[in-house]
Amino acid sequence: MSKVTSSAPSQRMLRVGEQVRAAITQVLQRGEVRDDLLEKTVISVSEVRMSPDLKMATAYVTPLGVADHEGVIAALNRNAKFIRGRIGGQLRQMKYMPEVRFRDDTSFDNYRKIDALLRSPEVRRDLEEPDASTDDKPE
């Protein structure tokens, strides 16, 4: 009997990911990480994706008000082991503490591009033109 695999995350992966996201957010809010760059940066943790075996957590973060996202991401990855240790106290129900890695969340940039596209004159023009195929014909 073969096991059916799916690319969608399981409910357990989603639940654990949300718990890890909340724990990372608390560690960053309290300023427990001693890094000059991280101490003066506000960081939004938008999502944490868990691997199927729950041993790897990929945290998607957005540094707010900072032009150099790469530097902040590198600082978070340098301190990943410390952060993993700090979130361990909040996730005691887990058999294994997941290894944490940080990635830049580019979804806000994608939303901004889509918004700019939808507000472009070409799209506005297409929305304002009456559609020739739906003429008001009496029935």
Side-chain angles (χ1 to χ4, degrees):
M1 188 188 310
S2 66
K3 184 177 180 180
V4 177
T5 59
S6 171
S7 62
S10 69
Q11 288 296 317
R12 184 171 185 218
M13 290 166 61
L14 293 171
R15 180 177 39 83
V16 171
E18 182 56 28
Q19 290 173 345
V20 172
R21 188 199 64 76
I24 291 171
T25 299
Q26 286 183 356
V27 169
L28 294 174
Q29 279 181 341
R30 287 184 275 199
E32 295 180 26
V33 181
R34 299 291 174 221
D35 187 290
D36 292 337
L37 182 59
L38 298 179
E39 287 177 351
K40 61 183 178 182
T41 305
V42 177
I43 300 170
S44 171
V45 183
S46 56
E47 180 184 10
V48 173
R49 293 184 190 162
M50 300 299 299
S51 64
D53 63 0
L54 303 178
K55 291 184 179 182
M56 177 67 69
T58 303
Y60 291 90
V61 299
T62 303
L64 304 175
V66 176
D68 179 26
H69 287 205
E70 297 300 322
V72 175
I73 302 299
L76 285 167
N77 282 314
R78 273 194 312 272
N79 292 289
K81 286 185 181 180
F82 176 79
I83 293 170
R84 178 184 184 200
R86 300 304 296 174
I87 66 174
Q90 299 174 39
L91 303 171
R92 294 181 191 266
Q93 75 277 10
M94 293 186 64
K95 188 173 183 179
Y96 299 102
M97 191 52 47
E99 181 182 330
V100 181
R101 62 182 172 190
F102 295 91
R103 300 287 182 263
D104 192 15
D105 185 7
T106 59
S107 62
F108 294 113
D109 295 333
N110 295 338
Y111 298 146
R112 194 175 308 120
K113 288 176 187 175
I114 292 170
D115 186 53
L117 179 65
L118 291 174
R119 293 176 188 271
S120 70
E122 294 84 9
V123 172
R124 185 167 288 143
R125 181 197 65 225
D126 291 345
L127 292 175
E128 290 173 358
E129 287 182 10
D131 189 5
S133 64
T134 59
D135 288 338
D136 292 328
K137 295 180 184 178
E139 293 182 24

